[in-house]
Amino acid sequence: MPTPLSSAELAEAKWYCLRSRPKHEHIAAAHLRLCEEIEVFCPRVRIQRSTRRGLVWFIEALFPNYLFARFEMTRWHARVRSCQGVSGIVRFGDDVPDVPAQALDDLRTYMEDSELKTVSFSIAEGDDVEIVEGPFRGQNGVVKQLLPARERVKVLLEVLGGVTEVNLSLTSVFKEAAILV
């Protein structure tokens, strides 16, 4: 086990983007956190998805297959690369770019100083929505009325040059403004 970092070595520690194995971001983060000298940030979102059982909550990485770690490259390179769940450090040829600390600060602000953010897609009358399943998939419309007791929504669609009211499942529409940037 390496000796603790001096203040000069701490100044050398930078943020790097790591690639993880598919769906192993949280596993890589957990194993990297076992080393006190490595700081890890693995932003994830909690979202609802439509399944056969109805709406179900899922937790997914904000950046699938990627996470961030702050460490001193020459000292921890081999340990980070061989950590369970990590498939490598993002590089461009021989160049391993560091991620600006300000970018991570901005991301933490967006995530409200947490690694897990719940994203809810509440829909109201007048909202612009995209239809994400069924025969009208890919079309955009405007919510005319919510029917919460039946988990349905009435959407106005432009079809063949005219406006048509369509009654859809609430899980079939996605609020356009709620898309993560």
Side-chain angles (χ1 to χ4, degrees), residues 30-48:
H31 284 278
L32 287 166
R33 284 189 179 104
L34 295 176
C35 182
E36 293 178 13
E37 288 84 5
I38 299 175
E39 186 179 351
V40 179
F41 186 59
C42 181
R44 299 182 302 158
V45 291
R46 183 173 176 257
I47 59 173
Q48 277 187 315

Side-chain angles (χ1 to χ4, degrees), residues 131-145:
I131 300 172
V132 295
E133 63 184 21
F136 297 108
R137 182 180 182 166
Q139 293 206 19
N140 297 321
V142 177
V143 175
K144 180 180 178 190
Q145 182 182 9

Side-chain angles (χ1 to χ4, degrees), residues 25-165:
E25 303 88 356
H26 62 290
I27 294 169
H31 284 278
L32 287 166
R33 284 189 179 104
L34 295 176
C35 182
E36 293 178 13
E37 288 84 5
I38 299 175
E39 186 179 351
V40 179
F41 186 59
C42 181
R44 299 182 302 158
V45 291
R46 183 173 176 257
I47 59 173
Q48 277 187 315
R49 290 242 168 96
S50 177
T51 68
R52 286 182 174 172
R53 297 177 300 166
L55 287 175
V56 176
W57 286 99
F58 287 90
I59 295 177
E60 296 181 354
L62 182 61
F63 304 107
N65 300 338
Y66 294 95
L67 66 152
F68 304 97
R70 184 176 181 263
F71 58 95
E72 197 275 312
M73 180 62 80
T74 57
R75 186 168 190 212
W76 294 101
H77 178 265
R79 172 97 184 250
V80 168
R81 280 193 44 113
S82 63
C83 189
Q84 184 176 347
V86 174
S87 66
I89 301 172
V90 173
R91 61 183 333 124
F92 300 100
D94 291 334
D95 182 36
V96 179
D98 57 287
V99 177
Q102 184 61 48
L104 269 290
D105 291 343
D106 292 345
L107 185 56
R108 279 197 166 115
T109 300
Y110 173 76
M111 294 294 293
E112 299 167 354
D113 287 325
S114 173
E115 284 197 355
L116 182 63
K117 183 174 184 172
T118 299
V119 180
S120 61
F121 301 105
S122 58
I123 295 175
E125 290 180 16
D127 284 347
D128 292 326
V129 293
E130 179 181 350
I131 300 172
V132 295
E133 63 184 21
F136 297 108
R137 182 180 182 166
Q139 293 206 19
N140 297 321
V142 177
V143 175
K144 180 180 178 190
Q145 182 182 9
L146 293 173
L147 307 168
R150 296 179 9 213
E151 292 188 359
R152 303 207 45 95
V153 62
K154 287 185 181 180
V155 177
L156 295 176
L157 291 178
E158 191 173 316
V159 180
L160 299 174
V163 177
T164 304
E165 186 177 290

